[in-house]
Amino acid sequence: MKKSNVASIDSIETMGLVDGPGIRTVIFFNGCKLRCKFCHNPEMWNKRKNNITVDELVNKIKRSKPYFKDTGGVTFSGGEPLLQADFIKEVAKRLHEEGINTCLDTAGVGLGNYEEVLKHIDYVLLDIKHTNNESYKYITGKELKEVENFIDACNKTHKKIWIRQVIIPGITDSDEYMESLLKYLMHIKGIERIDFLPYHRLGREKYLKLNIPYPFEDKNDMDKDKCNILYNNFINKFNKIYEC
């Protein structure tokens, strides 16, 4: 069997409401190059044995098609779905033949050649970890360059982009960071929505079960009221200058 015809997934969530427009089926792929200090899915870091084929996944998804209606569809998430991009490309092709919308929830760090898979993706949910290389490396363990390659591919293929930014106390919650994020997003075309996600410790128990030290043991949950204030101030500035 061709490598692109099989994949490793952790789970499938039906009736997803926060991973793209409308009601969605969310596919969680195993494997990720990053080791984000605020990750709440450490069980998906490593790619496991392939456990599903293109035909099997497409057939599972088609059962939920009546719920998608005009705006819903499928979101490829993880882990990092771009590490299994050839498989996703094959699935997305088949879904488009069925009239099903596709969305990619990603940190933008895969294996390159991103334009090929993006041809078959309708929306990109792009997770912004940080805007400068030093802090990005502190948070993720990797360099920022690969994300820039992915953003270039999104710009070239004219993707619709939803931005997601985790707001972490002491790291991404300052006015200075908001200014840097504003400048960073000016280089990304097609942004239709921005979400600020307040950091939380709900994934901590998973680390303990896996015998992995929890990286942000000294941090409390992000205050939701402060997060909302930051968001409102940010989005007002963004809307005034984006694509002016």
Side-chain angles (χ1 to χ4, degrees):
M1 185 176 292
K2 288 170 58 179
K3 187 176 180 181
S4 61
N5 285 336
V6 292
S8 172
I9 67 169
D10 178 83
S11 57
I12 299 175
E13 175 188 344
T14 58
M15 305 298 285
L17 299 174
V18 297
D19 299 287
I23 297 172
R24 310 193 72 81
T25 293
V26 186
I27 317 299
F28 293 94
F29 286 80
N30 289 313
C32 185
K33 289 183 177 182
L34 306 183
R35 292 295 180 266
C36 299
K37 294 182 182 297
F38 54 81
C39 178
H40 55 270
N41 291 322
E43 73 279 9
M44 299 182 202
W45 283 348
N46 297 315
K47 187 176 181 293
R48 305 175 206 162
K49 185 177 179 181
N50 291 328
N51 58 4
I52 197 163
T53 66
V54 169
D55 287 343
E56 289 169 341
L57 184 55
V58 170
N59 288 334
K60 285 179 182 289
I61 292 168
K62 285 166 62 177
R63 295 173 198 158
S64 297
K65 185 177 178 180
Y67 299 102
F68 299 153
K69 298 185 180 179
D70 293 333
T71 58
V74 173
T75 297
F76 304 110
S77 187
E80 175 49 71
L82 284 174
L83 294 180
Q84 302 185 66
D86 288 343
F87 177 88
I88 289 173
K89 181 174 69 174
E90 296 302 319
V91 173
K93 283 182 185 177
R94 296 271 297 275
L95 295 180
H96 277 169
E97 291 171 1
E98 298 287 337
I100 297 175
N101 173 282
T102 60
C103 179
L104 182 71
D105 182 2
T106 177
V109 181
L111 303 175
N113 198 26
Y114 300 122
E115 292 180 42
E116 283 302 307
V117 67
L118 287 172
K119 291 176 184 176
H120 309 282
I121 297 296
D122 298 302
Y123 286 86
V124 172
L125 274 60
L126 180 59
D127 299 321
I128 303 296
K129 309 300 183 180
H130 208 282
T131 59
N132 71 65
N133 190 63
E134 183 178 353
S135 296
Y136 181 91
K137 189 172 182 180
Y138 165 73
I139 291 170
T140 70
K142 296 292 183 179
E143 303 283 343
L144 189 56
K145 183 178 179 180
E146 192 60 31
V147 183
E148 303 294 342
N149 293 336
F150 179 75
I151 289 172
D152 286 345
C154 288
N155 288 340
K156 290 176 182 176
T157 51
H158 308 289
K159 292 297 104 176
K160 300 173 183 177
I161 307 287
W162 288 20
I163 297 293
R164 287 177 161 181
Q165 171 71 69
V166 176
I167 305 300
I168 310 165
I171 298 180
T172 57
D173 65 338
S174 67
D175 291 338
E176 291 78 12
Y177 182 75
M178 292 296 111
E179 287 300 320
S180 73
L181 179 62
L182 191 64
K183 292 178 182 178
Y184 190 81
L185 296 187
M186 291 302 113
H187 302 291
I188 302 176
K189 300 176 183 178
I191 295 176
E192 294 192 349
R193 173 170 167 168
I194 299 171
D195 292 317
F196 281 8
L197 310 177
Y199 163 77
H200 60 72
R201 292 163 57 89
L202 296 179
R204 180 176 178 274
E205 294 302 317
K206 292 182 180 180
Y207 284 77
L208 299 181
K209 289 180 180 179
L210 293 169
N211 293 316
I212 302 172
Y214 187 63
F216 279 167
E217 195 66 66
D218 61 336
K219 289 197 179 297
N220 296 319
D221 288 2
M222 180 66 199
D223 181 89
K224 293 182 180 179
D225 290 337
K226 181 179 179 182
C227 189
N228 288 335
I229 292 171
L230 285 171
Y231 175 79
N232 290 331
N233 291 337
F234 180 87
I235 208 68
N236 286 335
K237 291 181 180 179
F238 178 85
N239 287 337
K240 288 179 180 178
I241 63 175
Y242 187 67
E243 293 186 344
C244 287

